[in-house]
Amino acid sequence: MTKRISDLTPYTNILPYASEIFGVYQPLIGWRSKRQVERMQRGFTVDLARARNGLLSRFVADVDASLAREGRMLEIAHLGVGAVAPRQVKSTQTILGDRIGALLPPRERIDEAAWDVIDERRLTEMLQREVLPQVQTWLGEQQSNRGGNATAMAAEQLGRESSMAGLLLHLKKTRQFDALEGMFFKSDLDLARLQAFALFRNPLDVIDPTKEIDRATLSPIGVVHLFRQYFFEFDTFLGSPVGHVWLSPGSMVELVEVSTRRTLVEKTLEQSLETTLKTEKSLTEEDEISDAVKEENRSETKFGMNATVNQGWIGGSATASASLNLDSTQTKAREHTHRQMRQQTEKLSTEIRRNVKSTFRTVTETTDMSSKRYVLNNTTGALINYELRRKMRQVGVQVQDIGTYLCWQTFVDDPGRNLGVAKLVHIAKDPELGAIAPPESVPRPGMHATQLTIDIPFVPATEDTEPDEDMDEAYRDGEEVNTDTNEGDPERVKWQFGGFKSVCDIAGYTFKDVEFDFGGQDVRLDITDVDATSPGAVGFGIQVRHINFRNNPNVRVIAKVNWQPSDAMVAEVESKNQAAVSKFKEETRRAHQKAYLDAARDRINKASRIERRKFDELREEERIIVYRALIQDMLTRGVPMPDDRTRHVVAELLNTIFDIDKMLYFVAPEWWRPRLHQSHQALGAPPTPASIGGAVKKPTTVHGSLKAQAVSNKVSGITISQMMKAKQQEDTSIPASSVVSWGGVGENRADNYYITEESAPAPLGASLGWLLQLDGDNMRNAFLNAPWVKAVIPIRPGQERAAMNWLQATHVEGADGLDQAYVAPVGELAEIPHAGPVATVLDAINYLCDKVAAKHQDATKVGQYPPEEINDDNKVSATPVDKVFEHGFYPLQGGFRAQPGGQAFEVFDQWIEILPTDQVVPVEVTYDPKTGRQV
C-alpha cells in the first residue's frame, strides 16, 4: 500500500542525481514583416491567377471569323462581347433521356412550360420509333461476338428505357421540376466559387472574410523559454507482492532470482578468401526515469531537433502568443511545460512499471552465474509463509525556469527535395530452367515409294507380212517414226495400256506421283487415268510416248509409285510438336514469373529489414539542408559578395549575432499540403524474354453493363467502344492471382503497397503515398514529405538589438509594420518606453529585447541560495541557474506555480513518481486458517 507523502521537509538538501533540459518555443504575433507578406502574397498570386484562368475558361467567345484566299486573309463577320457558357446538359445514360434532354431549352430559360415535352404519347412514340430500332441495330452487330450475352444486355437496356419513361412522367405529374432539372443539367457551383475568389485582394481575406485576422500577423521573431527538469532520490518502500513461497517444518528452499538486462553487441570478422560480417544485437528498455525522459525528448517524432552543443534544448511546442510581454509568454510556457512533463513522466513511469519483470527458478545444483541466491530454512515446527515484495523507489521531480532566448523564425518550403534517398541494389536470381526439358520434336513423316513392274508388249496395230522386222523401229505415240518412201504407210503399234494398280504398305499415306526407271532403254512414258480415290491405293494407265523395242517382244519398265503423308497425319504431328513447344514455353514463362515473384518477395523482405541509420546523423543531415536554404538563400540575399572567399565575413558576423548551432526546426505535417511527392513501391520490372512469348499481361476487368450505357453506335455522343471500355485494375507488376488482401486489390488505389508474411511492418507513410527512405526513420519520412519546415534560430544573449537591426534590413525582413501602434493592456503599455504618442510594435520589440538581455545578465550573477534560510551557514553561493545543483531539493509550496513570482529562475513545478526496481524482498506473513485472510 502506497501512502501519499504530505511533508517533504525530510528530503531537503538532497542533490539531484540527473537532469534534463526542456524548451518551449512561442512565436509572437503583431509584426507583419516584409518577408512574411511577400511569402503569402506570392502564394496568393498563384492561386488568384489560377482562379482567373479557370473563370476565363467558363466564358464563350462571340466571334464569327473565317479564312479566305487560301488561308492568307482573315475575314471577320462579327466580334462581340463573350458570355458565360450555358450549363451543359448531362447524359442520363439512356437513349430516351438523352433525346428528351436535346429538346430542352438552356437552363436559364427553363420554366414549367419547358417540361411539356414530357407526355405519355410522345414518350410512347419515341420508345417505338427511336429507342427500339437503336437497340435492335446494336443487337444485330453484337450477336456474332457476344451471342446470348448481347441479347440479355439489350433486354436489360429496354427495361431501363421503359423505367426512365415512367420516372419522367411521374416527376412531371407530381410537379417535381427541381428533380427533373437536376437529372438533365449539370450543377455549376465552380463558377460561383471562382467568381467569389476572384474578388479577394488580400490572402487573409480568404482565411477570414470579416478581416478581423488582418491585424494578427505572424511575427518573424519568437521566444524560447528554457526549463530544466531535476530528479531526486527520496525513499524506498516495499510494494505489492509479486510471488509467494511457503516452507513446511524442517524444510529448506533455495531461491534464485535472475534479472536479465543486457546490451550485447557481438561482431565477428573473418577474412580469408571471403569476408563474413556477423552482427547481433540485444536491447532492453531503460528503467531509469531520467534516462527515459531524455530518450523520449530526443526521439520526439513531432519535432525534428537534436541538441549537439553544451546547452541545447528540445523543441517542445510552438504555440503563438498575442502579447510581447515576457511575463505573459513565460506564464503560458510554464503551464504548457507543467502539462507536458507531467504527462511524459507519468507515461514513462507506467511503461517502466509494466516492463519490470522478475523470474524465479529453483535449482538443485550450484551454478556460477550473476544472480541473487536466497536460502530459506524453516527450523520451527510450524508452516511459514513468505510474500515476495518488490522494492519501489520514490523519485521527486522539480522543474526550474533557467532562461529565455529571443529567436528569429522563417520558413523553408519543400525541405526534403535536396535530400537523396537510398536505392537498394538487389540482383535477382535467374530462373532454374535446367529441370525443364526442351521439347523433343516428333519427326514429320517422310516420303514413301513402292515399285511396280510394267511389261510393254509389242502389239502391231496394222497388218504386216513381216511383223518381226518392225520390232527394230522407233514409235512415237504408237506410230512408226523412221520410215522410207519405199516402205509405204508407216506401221502402227499399241501404245496405250491400262489396269495398273499399286497399294501403299504404310497406312495414312496418299498417292503423290509415279516415276519410271527405264533401265537405259529407249522408251518414254506418261501416266493417264489416275484413280486415287481409295486411301492407300492408286490405279492408273500409261501412254507410250516413245519406244524402240530393239527386236524385243517386251520392254520391261520399273514404275516407282511415290506416296506422301496425308494432311491429317501431318496435322497430327504438327499439333503434337506445337503442344510440346507451348508446354515448354508455358513452363519457362512460369519459371520466369516464379523467379520474379521470389525476387519481389526477397526485395520486400530485405527492404523492410534494412537497418535504420543513426538518429543523430539523420537529424544532422536535415539541419544541414535547412542551413543551406537559410544561409545561402535568405541570410545572404541582396548582400553583394562577388567571390566566395569573402563569405566568411558575413558568416562570422551572423555567427556572432545568431546561435546557429542551436537552430530548431519544426516539420509541418504532410496534410497541410498533400501529394507534394507521389511515390510508389518499386519492385523492378517483370522479365519479358522473347522465348516465353512476351511479357506477362496485366489482368483487366470489365466494369459496368449495358444497362447503364447507351446501346447505339453513336447515341448522345457515347460510342460502343466507350461503352464497352475495360477499366484496368490497379497498376501493378505483380499479377492479381499472386496478391491477397482483405479488399482493395481490384480497386484503383494509387497508394497500395506490398508486404509478405516475413517482412517487417511497413514504415510510416507507406499507405499515404509518401516518398520513403529505406534506411530512414519515421521522422526522415515526415521530413521528406513535409510541405515546409519552420526554422527557428536563437539570438545570442546580449545581441538582441543587433539582431533586430539585421532583421530590419531590406534583404531580410524589412521594417514594414514596425511603426504601427502596439495593442496591449494598459498596464503592459505603461511599462514600454516610447518616444511617440503611443507605443509602436518596434518599441514593444525593443523592450522585449532589453528584458531578455537583462534576464540573461541576471543568470550570470552569483547569489546566496536559498534566500529564505535564516542561518547563513546553510546557504550556498551559486548562479540562479545552477542553484539546485548546489543547495539541492527544497519543497515547493503548492506543487505548481504558473505565474512568475518575484524571484527569477525559480522552481515552479514539483511532483513525485513511483518506480519499481529489480529487487524482491521476502516478508514473513501469517494467514488466519479459518478466514484465509492475512493476519
Side-chain angles (χ1 to χ4, degrees), residues 631-895:
I631 304 300
Q632 302 301 327
D633 179 46
M634 299 180 185
L635 298 182
T636 61
R637 186 175 59 177
V639 179
M641 288 182 294
D643 195 284
D644 288 341
R645 288 172 292 186
T646 62
R647 290 179 181 266
H648 69 281
V649 179
V650 179
E652 293 294 336
L653 175 62
L654 295 179
N655 201 34
T656 58
I657 299 176
F658 298 97
D659 196 347
I660 299 178
D661 291 335
K662 289 185 179 179
M663 183 195 72
L664 309 173
Y665 61 93
F666 298 90
V667 179
E670 181 263 356
W671 38 261
W672 280 110
R673 185 184 174 188
R675 302 297 183 187
L676 189 62
H677 300 277
Q678 184 67 51
S679 303
H680 299 283
Q681 192 174 16
L683 302 176
T688 56
S691 59
I692 63 172
V696 179
K697 295 183 179 179
K698 300 176 182 178
T700 56
T701 303
V702 177
H703 293 265
S705 62
L706 182 63
K707 66 180 181 180
Q709 299 162 343
V711 294
S712 63
N713 287 337
K714 193 172 184 181
V715 178
S716 302
I718 301 177
T719 62
I720 291 294
S721 60
Q722 293 173 333
M723 180 181 61
M724 297 301 174
K725 184 178 180 180
K727 183 180 179 182
Q728 201 171 34
Q729 287 185 351
E730 60 181 349
D731 186 13
T732 172
S733 57
I734 295 182
S737 59
S738 301
V739 177
V740 178
S741 73
W742 289 113
V745 175
E747 298 182 11
N748 190 20
R749 294 177 180 266
D751 300 328
N752 289 350
Y753 58 94
Y754 298 107
I755 61 174
T756 71
E757 72 279 5
E758 299 175 354
S759 61
L764 174 67
S767 57
L768 296 174
W770 278 12
L771 171 65
L772 302 180
Q773 183 171 328
L774 292 178
D775 57 348
D777 55 8
N778 289 343
M779 294 177 63
R780 169 55 60 88
N781 294 336
F783 187 87
L784 289 173
N785 296 274
W788 66 81
V789 298
K790 179 169 64 176
V792 177
I793 302 180
I795 300 173
R796 293 188 182 276
Q799 299 294 328
E800 290 82 6
R801 287 294 188 105
M804 280 300 302
N805 293 334
W806 174 269
L807 294 178
Q808 293 177 49
T810 304
H811 65 278
V812 186
E813 296 290 349
D816 298 348
L818 291 176
D819 56 348
Q820 296 181 357
Y822 176 60
V823 180
V826 178
E828 182 181 345
L829 291 175
E831 297 179 1
I832 301 176
H834 56 278
V838 294
T840 62
V841 174
L842 180 59
D843 294 332
I845 293 177
N846 289 335
Y847 179 61
L848 176 63
C849 292
D850 295 339
K851 290 193 66 175
V852 172
K855 185 175 181 180
H856 176 71
Q857 290 293 331
D858 293 340
T860 60
K861 296 179 181 179
V862 178
Q864 295 289 319
Y865 300 97
E868 63 272 10
E869 281 286 347
I870 300 177
N871 188 357
D872 291 341
D873 294 337
N874 293 331
K875 291 186 178 183
V876 295
S877 298
T879 62
V881 177
D882 298 328
K883 62 183 179 181
V884 179
F885 292 107
E886 297 294 335
H887 69 68
F889 175 80
Y890 267 80
L892 175 65
Q893 298 298 326

Side-chain angles (χ1 to χ4, degrees), residues 148-166:
N149 187 27
T151 304
M153 295 172 68
E156 191 174 4
Q157 181 67 25
L158 290 176
R160 182 176 177 84
E161 300 287 345
S162 178
S163 300
M164 175 60 72

Side-chain angles (χ1 to χ4, degrees), residues 32-42 203 217:
R32 177 187 291 186
S33 67
K34 177 182 178 182
R35 188 181 192 86
Q36 296 284 3
V37 174
E38 287 180 352
R39 184 173 185 272
M40 294 183 64
Q41 195 65 42
R42 285 197 302 268
T217 305

Side-chain angles (χ1 to χ4, degrees), residues 419-724:
L419 275 175
V421 296
K423 294 182 179 181
L424 176 63
V425 178
H426 181 277
I427 301 177
K429 294 176 60 178
D430 293 333
E432 297 180 359
L433 303 178
I436 304 177
E440 295 183 0
S441 177
V442 179
R444 183 171 181 174
M447 302 297 294
H448 184 64
T450 58
Q451 292 185 354
L452 179 66
T453 302
I454 298 177
D455 291 331
I456 304 174
F458 178 77
V459 180
T462 56
E463 295 183 359
D464 193 350
T465 55
E466 295 180 356
D468 296 337
E469 296 180 359
D470 296 330
M471 290 184 184
D472 195 24
E473 300 294 338
Y475 297 88
R476 180 181 294 115
D477 295 337
E479 185 175 350
E480 183 181 1
V481 177
N482 298 322
T483 58
D484 295 334
T485 56
N486 297 328
E487 294 182 357
D489 295 332
E491 299 294 334
R492 300 182 63 84
V493 296
K494 184 177 181 180
W495 64 286
Q496 293 181 344
F497 302 89
F500 302 104
K501 293 183 179 181
S502 180
V503 178
C504 183
D505 52 1
I506 301 177
Y509 275 72
T510 59
F511 171 76
K512 182 178 183 297
D513 56 19
V514 178
E515 298 177 352
F516 294 99
D517 183 7
F518 302 108
Q521 302 181 81
D522 190 9
V523 61
R524 296 294 180 269
L525 304 176
D526 287 337
I527 61 172
T528 60
D529 302 330
V530 178
D531 182 11
T533 56
S534 299
V538 65
F540 61 92
I542 62 173
Q543 290 181 342
V544 183
R545 293 301 183 183
H546 177 82
I547 190 171
N548 190 335
F549 288 92
R550 301 189 184 279
N551 296 323
N552 293 317
N554 290 298
V555 174
R556 175 163 291 183
V557 177
I558 304 300
K560 182 181 179 182
V561 181
N562 294 321
W563 306 89
Q564 63 183 1
S566 63
D567 294 340
M569 179 180 291
V570 174
E572 181 181 1
V573 172
E574 291 181 351
S575 177
K576 291 181 180 180
N577 289 333
Q578 185 64 32
V581 172
S582 300
K583 180 180 179 181
F584 174 74
K585 288 183 177 181
E586 179 64 20
E587 291 178 352
T588 305
R589 186 191 67 81
R590 290 181 180 177
H592 278 86
Q593 185 178 15
K594 181 180 182 300
Y596 169 68
L597 293 177
D598 291 342
R601 286 174 53 85
D602 192 28
R603 289 169 181 172
I604 293 173
N605 294 337
K606 284 183 169 58
S608 67
R609 290 188 173 88
I610 291 178
E611 184 178 0
R612 302 293 183 258
R613 294 174 58 190
K614 292 182 179 180
F615 175 87
D616 296 340
E617 293 179 356
L618 292 173
R619 301 294 82 78
E620 185 63 25
E621 285 185 353
E622 294 163 7
R623 291 169 63 87
I624 290 174
I625 287 295
V626 178
Y627 283 149
R628 288 180 184 176
L630 293 180
I631 304 300
Q632 302 301 327
D633 179 46
M634 299 180 185
L635 298 182
T636 61
R637 186 175 59 177
V639 179
M641 288 182 294
D643 195 284
D644 288 341
R645 288 172 292 186
T646 62
R647 290 179 181 266
H648 69 281
V649 179
V650 179
E652 293 294 336
L653 175 62
L654 295 179
N655 201 34
T656 58
I657 299 176
F658 298 97
D659 196 347
I660 299 178
D661 291 335
K662 289 185 179 179
M663 183 195 72
L664 309 173
Y665 61 93
F666 298 90
V667 179
E670 181 263 356
W671 38 261
W672 280 110
R673 185 184 174 188
R675 302 297 183 187
L676 189 62
H677 300 277
Q678 184 67 51
S679 303
H680 299 283
Q681 192 174 16
L683 302 176
T688 56
S691 59
I692 63 172
V696 179
K697 295 183 179 179
K698 300 176 182 178
T700 56
T701 303
V702 177
H703 293 265
S705 62
L706 182 63
K707 66 180 181 180
Q709 299 162 343
V711 294
S712 63
N713 287 337
K714 193 172 184 181
V715 178
S716 302
I718 301 177
T719 62
I720 291 294
S721 60
Q722 293 173 333
M723 180 181 61
M724 297 301 174

Side-chain angles (χ1 to χ4, degrees), residues 16-34:
Y17 68 87
S19 66
E20 175 68 11
I21 293 180
F22 187 85
V24 175
Y25 171 72
Q26 289 183 305
L28 301 179
I29 290 178
W31 174 21
R32 177 187 291 186
S33 67
K34 177 182 178 182

